[in-house]
Amino acid sequence: MLRQIYIVFIFIFFSFTAFSQQNNSGDKLPPYLYVENSWVDSVLNTMTPDERIGQLFMVAAWSKNGPAELERIANLIRKQHIGGIIMMQGGPVREAAFINFSQSISNVPLLISQDAEWGLSMRLDSTIVFPRQGMLGAMQDDSLVYKFGKEMARECTRIGVNVSFSPVVDINNNPLNPVIGDRSFGEDKFNVAAKGIAYMKGLQDGGVLACAKHFPGHGNADKDSHKTLPVINGSKKELDSLELFPFRKIFSEGVGSVMVAHLSIPALDSTSNAASSLSSRIVTGLLRNDLGFKGLAFTDALNMAGVGNYPEPGMVDLKALLAGNDILLFSGDVAAAINQIKTAIKKGKVDQSEIDIRVRKILQAKFWLGLSERKPVDMHNLYEDLNSGEAVYLKQRLIGNSLTLVHNKDGFLPVKDLTAQTFASVSIGSDSITPFQHMISNYAMVQHFNISKDAKEAEFNDLEKKLQNYSIVFIALQNMLRSPEKQFGITPNSINFINRMSFQHKVILTVFGNPYALQNFSSQDWLLEAYNDEPLTQSLAAQLLFGGIEANGKLPVSASLNIRAGEGMVSKTIGRLQYTLPEDAGISSYKLKKIDSLVQEGITQHAIPGCQVFISKDSKVLLQKSFGNFTYDVNESVANDDLYDLASITKVAATTLMLMKLYDEKKLNLSAKACHYLPDLKRTNKENITIKQLLLHEGGLVASIPFYKKTIDSAGYLSGIIYRNQIEDPYTVMVTPSLYMNHFYLDTLWKEILESPVEAPGKYVYSDLDFIILKKIAEKISGETLNNFVTNNFYRPLGLSTIGFNPLSYFPKERIVPSNYDSSFRKQLIQGTVHDPAAAMLGGIGGHAGLFSDANDVGILMQMLLNYGEYAGVRYLDSATVVRFTSRNSEHSRRGFGFDKPETEPDKPSPVCDSASALTFGHQGFTGTCVWADPKYQLIFVFLSNRTFPDEENKELLNLNIRGRIEEVIYDLMQNKSPF
């Protein structure tokens, strides 16, 4: 009884002291110390002395090791009454099950901890890999670090972890540090402290105990304490001013725990080979007494070589306890350590009351963490919850705000002019096209090269020759190493190559690795530090270089005398598309996956073999995804940069654009008769048709003319007079790579158009002939071919890398999706030449068809129109022209000038879904393509497919209404978006 009264007295004394210090200094206490609860008292009173000692131990567990590991931990729980577990490598489901079982058999709830510095992924597979603290140290917005901590808390609690051994608040002031490095926020003590506090508050506001480490500061070590005992030199004054600064600050803000490192620090304890974790001068004297820390003190892992070698089992644990630590991590022998502590109690070296004070504090922390009401981890939907769209979006924001533009001579970045430059990219360290290079191609026509980082000098010389004709070269250092001992994986040949290239070209260098590596490139004029090589980082770095996102980061460490911590240039966006996640627009990625199931339905039902889907809102691409294969019987997956035959989208993406430009330049009068520009139409039945009527399909022309039928004889063979199987004069019009038409026959085609009937002018009849004639008119006015005009005025300056006619001239056949097998005319697979027979006979460039592209280029083109003729700071069309052409302009149909529109007649089918606004404009294509832009919602939807393969009569895409249902999903999510 007297012993219990004494224990209570001691606790009240320490509590009073703690609260007095908090009141006197204004410092906050760890949150659990404010809690008084009968649960703590009742649990403590029921525990035996052995059970109380057991609470001081946390042991490591590997869920990946299966039942044997579970049994080992179960024995420690039952026999040694351990107080907690450190979860090591494994998977989320295995770990959650492991935690559930362990908690279920423990009389006292277990503290479950994990090293989660950059997320659960530090120990678990199948979880999000967040940036390391070194990268976060570059951010200028500490509120994002808080959100990161809050997200870490959400993920930890979701899996049953309640202590995160983070943040690292070591100052990274030694470039040769083999163990801290990019785990630290950087070399600036104020930045480290501020971000450490933000991270800690996010964790603890989310209900997870934070742990500041590695006290009293591991940043200036040049040895790994896992392998040996590092020595930290410096005077006590220097240590107090620098290493201890972040710890002092985070203690004052109420961090719940601290981890004591294994270091030799002569200025604090001159005992030879004395590890700081075993030093009462450091743990009790400095940490407890001088700095007034009242929270839980964890040792670093006691099985590390840096803690010293003690032949007697359990002795290191006892020494750590005597030094003043509360919780002993990673004991090499728990039973032996408990015996050592019990012997020490008997000998009077340790008083049971000191054990009880520690145990009470541990129990208070457990109560604050909600462990008094143990609930098993819910296994349902665990993977999805840990990998939520919101979490991935946070990761994207963290990376984007960290990227650091170190050098930017003359403000050249982001790259603005895409017409006067020729671009190449080189990835050093990758043998295939990287996500960085793929994203660059979303912005410009770039030729990509790859070379091993271990390539010999001769290989780099050969590459240098191949790059001679390019004015701008993007070089990416990839697949780097974290270790300074190995020069971060950068070879002398790589450095020499980059330096030589910089004398010959504009080299824009991106370093996807440790910022200390920048010391090799201090003279580079354009230099971006990207910190890691993850696909998302690569994507965002490319976007930054082209102005899709801003640059705001500042270097967290100094790389050289010329590249100092705190440096970093700001660059702004210039209006190009940003490639982001649906959450950026308040839309759930999970819910948007409904689109995947709709596309899969179309593929399963043989409506389409595959497709590309592109969705953007407010100039942000929320979905850019490819599905399925080129054909049903060939397992060749569709990629985002593969090309589709756009079919009638050509009408708006080429011919109408050319006419809009000519209208802008006052060279085209929409009310004028077509024959005014094209004299061939005079004295024909078409001489009174106006430009407006042609644009609106109200000229009275027939829908189409099957020109090819007159070139086939009665036996079904193509005329030998009109065609040849190879190019030779005058057979120069390529119909397919194995079929060439006599170019004189073009006159015959034109004659057939001129002589074709005109029926009911003014009535809406959708006709390809309208746009074949409009192409002729536009070319007559401008003096340029349609192909050259739109390429020079739109495609090239917009940076469109795939859109164009006759793609086999520029791309391998393997990148072009086949449109169908033509059994009636060309008698072959149509891949790389236009599906439409008339356009094919016109040399692949028809005003109505012939254009090929990926979905991204079509999306950018539509974004320019959605911006009323402007994109990335360049004006392509007058805004009034865009409004004029994309508005409804007919009294007889839904159509705009060239553009299709939503149907207004309730009894007629509409080409768009019901939710699309009346302002929507775009077009569909016969091959299974469509593009729609809705100004009301700033929305663009592109769908490219080859529904005509192998049979162009296949109507399942229309019957299943796949495109309309996808659109409806988008509108539903936009209009019912929920905050998070």
Side-chain angles (χ1 to χ4, degrees), residues 120-146:
L120 296 177
S121 61
M122 189 172 174
R123 293 289 181 253
L124 298 183
D125 60 39
S126 307
T127 54
I128 299 171
V129 181
F130 285 92
R132 296 179 183 233
Q133 288 184 198
M135 189 172 189
L136 301 185
M139 295 194 306
Q140 300 306 293
D141 183 358
D142 290 349
S143 70
L144 282 173
V145 182
Y146 172 84

mmCIF file of all heavy atoms in Angstrom, residues 120-146:
data_model
loop_
_atom_site.group_PDB
_atom_site.id
_atom_site.type_symbol
_atom_site.label_atom_id
_atom_site.label_comp_id
_atom_site.label_asym_id
_atom_site.label_seq_id
_atom_site.Cartn_x
_atom_site.Cartn_y
_atom_site.Cartn_z
ATOM 1 N N LEU A 120 4.102 4.363 -45.817
ATOM 2 C CA LEU A 120 4.148 2.944 -45.470
ATOM 3 C C LEU A 120 5.071 2.176 -46.410
ATOM 4 O O LEU A 120 5.582 1.114 -46.067
ATOM 5 C CB LEU A 120 2.739 2.351 -45.539
ATOM 6 C CG LEU A 120 1.701 2.909 -44.552
ATOM 7 C CD1 LEU A 120 0.347 2.267 -44.804
ATOM 8 C CD2 LEU A 120 2.146 2.695 -43.115
ATOM 9 N N SER A 121 5.301 2.739 -47.594
ATOM 10 C CA SER A 121 6.136 2.069 -48.593
ATOM 11 C C SER A 121 7.581 1.901 -48.136
ATOM 12 O O SER A 121 8.325 1.119 -48.728
ATOM 13 C CB SER A 121 6.122 2.860 -49.903
ATOM 14 O OG SER A 121 6.646 4.166 -49.687
ATOM 15 N N MET A 122 7.992 2.633 -47.086
ATOM 16 C CA MET A 122 9.338 2.442 -46.569
ATOM 17 C C MET A 122 9.518 1.007 -46.068
ATOM 18 O O MET A 122 10.642 0.496 -46.014
ATOM 19 C CB MET A 122 9.604 3.442 -45.443
ATOM 20 C CG MET A 122 11.036 3.484 -44.959
ATOM 21 S SD MET A 122 11.299 4.846 -43.806
ATOM 22 C CE MET A 122 12.992 4.535 -43.293
ATOM 23 N N ARG A 123 8.409 0.361 -45.713
ATOM 24 C CA ARG A 123 8.462 -1.021 -45.220
ATOM 25 C C ARG A 123 7.522 -1.961 -45.975
ATOM 26 O O ARG A 123 7.740 -3.159 -45.979
ATOM 27 C CB ARG A 123 8.103 -1.044 -43.728
ATOM 28 C CG ARG A 123 9.121 -0.352 -42.835
ATOM 29 C CD ARG A 123 10.402 -1.155 -42.731
ATOM 30 N NE ARG A 123 11.392 -0.523 -41.873
ATOM 31 C CZ ARG A 123 12.491 0.075 -42.288
ATOM 32 N NH1 ARG A 123 12.736 0.158 -43.591
ATOM 33 N NH2 ARG A 123 13.358 0.617 -41.450
ATOM 34 N N LEU A 124 6.476 -1.418 -46.597
ATOM 35 C CA LEU A 124 5.458 -2.290 -47.190
ATOM 36 C C LEU A 124 5.420 -2.171 -48.703
ATOM 37 O O LEU A 124 5.589 -1.074 -49.260
ATOM 38 C CB LEU A 124 4.072 -1.932 -46.642
ATOM 39 C CG LEU A 124 3.841 -2.099 -45.144
ATOM 40 C CD1 LEU A 124 2.395 -1.771 -44.814
ATOM 41 C CD2 LEU A 124 4.183 -3.505 -44.699
ATOM 42 N N ASP A 125 5.168 -3.288 -49.372
ATOM 43 C CA ASP A 125 4.906 -3.227 -50.800
ATOM 44 C C ASP A 125 3.459 -2.784 -51.031
ATOM 45 O O ASP A 125 2.665 -2.653 -50.095
ATOM 46 C CB ASP A 125 5.176 -4.594 -51.448
ATOM 47 C CG ASP A 125 4.309 -5.717 -50.875
ATOM 48 O OD1 ASP A 125 3.117 -5.500 -50.586
ATOM 49 O OD2 ASP A 125 4.830 -6.845 -50.704
ATOM 50 N N SER A 126 3.128 -2.519 -52.279
ATOM 51 C CA SER A 126 1.749 -2.218 -52.693
ATOM 52 C C SER A 126 1.172 -0.978 -52.011
ATOM 53 O O SER A 126 -0.040 -0.877 -51.829
ATOM 54 C CB SER A 126 0.828 -3.420 -52.426
ATOM 55 O OG SER A 126 1.348 -4.594 -53.003
ATOM 56 N N THR A 127 2.017 -0.053 -51.626
ATOM 57 C CA THR A 127 1.568 1.205 -51.039
ATOM 58 C C THR A 127 2.253 2.363 -51.753
ATOM 59 O O THR A 127 3.240 2.178 -52.474
ATOM 60 C CB THR A 127 1.867 1.270 -49.533
ATOM 61 O OG1 THR A 127 3.262 1.008 -49.320
ATOM 62 C CG2 THR A 127 1.044 0.242 -48.765
ATOM 63 N N ILE A 128 1.734 3.564 -51.543
ATOM 64 C CA ILE A 128 2.222 4.737 -52.270
ATOM 65 C C ILE A 128 3.620 5.125 -51.787
ATOM 66 O O ILE A 128 3.848 5.258 -50.588
ATOM 67 C CB ILE A 128 1.256 5.924 -52.085
ATOM 68 C CG1 ILE A 128 -0.129 5.565 -52.633
ATOM 69 C CG2 ILE A 128 1.791 7.172 -52.781
ATOM 70 C CD1 ILE A 128 -1.197 6.579 -52.295
ATOM 71 N N VAL A 129 4.514 5.334 -52.731
ATOM 72 C CA VAL A 129 5.871 5.796 -52.414
ATOM 73 C C VAL A 129 5.868 7.318 -52.469
ATOM 74 O O VAL A 129 5.882 7.915 -53.549
ATOM 75 C CB VAL A 129 6.912 5.224 -53.393
ATOM 76 C CG1 VAL A 129 8.310 5.708 -53.014
ATOM 77 C CG2 VAL A 129 6.852 3.712 -53.416
ATOM 78 N N PHE A 130 5.814 7.955 -51.308
ATOM 79 C CA PHE A 130 5.830 9.411 -51.250
ATOM 80 C C PHE A 130 7.277 9.917 -51.342
ATOM 81 O O PHE A 130 8.226 9.159 -51.125
ATOM 82 C CB PHE A 130 5.184 9.898 -49.947
ATOM 83 C CG PHE A 130 3.687 9.792 -49.948
ATOM 84 C CD1 PHE A 130 3.059 8.651 -49.468
ATOM 85 C CD2 PHE A 130 2.904 10.826 -50.439
ATOM 86 C CE1 PHE A 130 1.677 8.542 -49.467
ATOM 87 C CE2 PHE A 130 1.530 10.734 -50.453
ATOM 88 C CZ PHE A 130 0.912 9.591 -49.961
ATOM 89 N N PRO A 131 7.469 11.194 -51.643
ATOM 90 C CA PRO A 131 8.827 11.743 -51.684
ATOM 91 C C PRO A 131 9.507 11.662 -50.324
ATOM 92 O O PRO A 131 8.865 11.755 -49.280
ATOM 93 C CB PRO A 131 8.610 13.210 -52.084
ATOM 94 C CG PRO A 131 7.263 13.263 -52.696
ATOM 95 C CD PRO A 131 6.456 12.202 -52.014
ATOM 96 N N ARG A 132 10.825 11.511 -50.351
ATOM 97 C CA ARG A 132 11.596 11.549 -49.121
ATOM 98 C C ARG A 132 11.668 12.990 -48.625
ATOM 99 O O ARG A 132 11.428 13.942 -49.360
ATOM 100 C CB ARG A 132 12.989 10.975 -49.357
ATOM 101 C CG ARG A 132 12.955 9.498 -49.731
ATOM 102 C CD ARG A 132 14.346 8.948 -49.978
ATOM 103 N NE ARG A 132 14.251 7.553 -50.407
ATOM 104 C CZ ARG A 132 14.913 6.548 -49.842
ATOM 105 N NH1 ARG A 132 15.716 6.777 -48.816
ATOM 106 N NH2 ARG A 132 14.784 5.320 -50.293
ATOM 107 N N GLN A 133 12.061 13.121 -47.360
ATOM 108 C CA GLN A 133 12.058 14.442 -46.738
ATOM 109 C C GLN A 133 13.005 15.406 -47.439
ATOM 110 O O GLN A 133 12.752 16.616 -47.454
ATOM 111 C CB GLN A 133 12.408 14.329 -45.257
ATOM 112 C CG GLN A 133 11.305 13.728 -44.429
ATOM 113 C CD GLN A 133 11.622 13.711 -42.941
ATOM 114 O OE1 GLN A 133 11.012 12.981 -42.185
ATOM 115 N NE2 GLN A 133 12.579 14.523 -42.499
ATOM 116 N N GLY A 134 14.089 14.892 -48.018
ATOM 117 C CA GLY A 134 15.005 15.776 -48.731
ATOM 118 C C GLY A 134 14.313 16.509 -49.858
ATOM 119 O O GLY A 134 14.588 17.681 -50.120
ATOM 120 N N MET A 135 13.405 15.823 -50.545
ATOM 121 C CA MET A 135 12.650 16.451 -51.626
ATOM 122 C C MET A 135 11.624 17.425 -51.057
ATOM 123 O O MET A 135 11.444 18.531 -51.577
ATOM 124 C CB MET A 135 11.965 15.375 -52.466
ATOM 125 C CG MET A 135 11.330 15.879 -53.745
ATOM 126 S SD MET A 135 10.767 14.497 -54.772
ATOM 127 C CE MET A 135 10.323 15.358 -56.285
ATOM 128 N N LEU A 136 10.968 17.018 -49.966
ATOM 129 C CA LEU A 136 9.985 17.901 -49.335
ATOM 130 C C LEU A 136 10.650 19.164 -48.798
ATOM 131 O O LEU A 136 10.015 20.221 -48.699
ATOM 132 C CB LEU A 136 9.267 17.174 -48.202
ATOM 133 C CG LEU A 136 8.514 15.891 -48.575
ATOM 134 C CD1 LEU A 136 7.762 15.353 -47.368
ATOM 135 C CD2 LEU A 136 7.556 16.125 -49.733
ATOM 136 N N GLY A 137 11.935 19.056 -48.463
ATOM 137 C CA GLY A 137 12.656 20.223 -47.968
ATOM 138 C C GLY A 137 12.761 21.330 -48.987
ATOM 139 O O GLY A 137 13.040 22.481 -48.629
ATOM 140 N N ALA A 138 12.541 21.010 -50.263
ATOM 141 C CA ALA A 138 12.596 22.026 -51.323
ATOM 142 C C ALA A 138 11.310 22.829 -51.424
ATOM 143 O O ALA A 138 11.293 23.898 -52.040
ATOM 144 C CB ALA A 138 12.886 21.348 -52.661
ATOM 145 N N MET A 139 10.234 22.333 -50.831
ATOM 146 C CA MET A 139 8.947 23.020 -50.947
ATOM 147 C C MET A 139 8.938 24.313 -50.139
ATOM 148 O O MET A 139 9.532 24.403 -49.070
ATOM 149 C CB MET A 139 7.801 22.118 -50.473
ATOM 150 C CG MET A 139 7.588 20.899 -51.333
ATOM 151 S SD MET A 139 6.006 20.094 -51.002
ATOM 152 C CE MET A 139 6.107 19.849 -49.254
ATOM 153 N N GLN A 140 8.194 25.285 -50.648
ATOM 154 C CA GLN A 140 8.076 26.562 -49.955
ATOM 155 C C GLN A 140 6.751 26.695 -49.209
ATOM 156 O O GLN A 140 6.500 27.708 -48.574
ATOM 157 C CB GLN A 140 8.232 27.707 -50.963
ATOM 158 C CG GLN A 140 9.563 27.697 -51.687
ATOM 159 C CD GLN A 140 10.745 27.668 -50.737
ATOM 160 O OE1 GLN A 140 10.983 28.638 -50.018
ATOM 161 N NE2 GLN A 140 11.482 26.564 -50.708
ATOM 162 N N ASP A 141 5.943 25.684 -49.294
ATOM 163 C CA ASP A 141 4.622 25.700 -48.648
ATOM 164 C C ASP A 141 4.591 24.614 -47.577
ATOM 165 O O ASP A 141 4.368 23.440 -47.861
ATOM 166 C CB ASP A 141 3.532 25.454 -49.696
ATOM 167 C CG ASP A 141 2.125 25.529 -49.112
ATOM 168 O OD1 ASP A 141 1.994 25.742 -47.887
ATOM 169 O OD2 ASP A 141 1.165 25.376 -49.889
ATOM 170 N N ASP A 142 4.813 25.024 -46.310
ATOM 171 C CA ASP A 142 4.861 24.043 -45.231
ATOM 172 C C ASP A 142 3.498 23.421 -44.939
ATOM 173 O O ASP A 142 3.423 22.359 -44.315
ATOM 174 C CB ASP A 142 5.414 24.693 -43.954
ATOM 175 C CG ASP A 142 6.897 25.005 -44.076
ATOM 176 O OD1 ASP A 142 7.519 24.536 -45.049
ATOM 177 O OD2 ASP A 142 7.431 25.721 -43.213
ATOM 178 N N SER A 143 2.438 24.073 -45.394
ATOM 179 C CA SER A 143 1.114 23.481 -45.173
ATOM 180 C C SER A 143 0.980 22.154 -45.919
ATOM 181 O O SER A 143 0.226 21.271 -45.504
ATOM 182 C CB SER A 143 0.010 24.445 -45.613
ATOM 183 O OG SER A 143 -0.025 24.586 -47.026
ATOM 184 N N LEU A 144 1.717 21.997 -47.018
ATOM 185 C CA LEU A 144 1.688 20.727 -47.732
ATOM 186 C C LEU A 144 2.391 19.636 -46.939
ATOM 187 O O LEU A 144 2.022 18.458 -47.017
ATOM 188 C CB LEU A 144 2.338 20.879 -49.107
ATOM 189 C CG LEU A 144 1.490 21.550 -50.188
ATOM 190 C CD1 LEU A 144 2.312 21.781 -51.443
ATOM 191 C CD2 LEU A 144 0.253 20.720 -50.509
ATOM 192 N N VAL A 145 3.417 20.012 -46.180
ATOM 193 C CA VAL A 145 4.089 19.034 -45.315
ATOM 194 C C VAL A 145 3.126 18.585 -44.227
ATOM 195 O O VAL A 145 3.078 17.406 -43.870
ATOM 196 C CB VAL A 145 5.369 19.624 -44.701
ATOM 197 C CG1 VAL A 145 6.085 18.579 -43.846
ATOM 198 C CG2 VAL A 145 6.305 20.130 -45.788
ATOM 199 N N TYR A 146 2.347 19.524 -43.703
ATOM 200 C CA TYR A 146 1.325 19.162 -42.709
ATOM 201 C C TYR A 146 0.324 18.174 -43.314
ATOM 202 O O TYR A 146 -0.030 17.161 -42.699
ATOM 203 C CB TYR A 146 0.596 20.411 -42.219
ATOM 204 C CG TYR A 146 -0.594 20.104 -41.334
ATOM 205 C CD1 TYR A 146 -0.424 19.874 -39.967
ATOM 206 C CD2 TYR A 146 -1.878 20.009 -41.863
ATOM 207 C CE1 TYR A 146 -1.507 19.566 -39.157
ATOM 208 C CE2 TYR A 146 -2.959 19.695 -41.061
ATOM 209 C CZ TYR A 146 -2.774 19.485 -39.706
ATOM 210 O OH TYR A 146 -3.847 19.167 -38.909
#
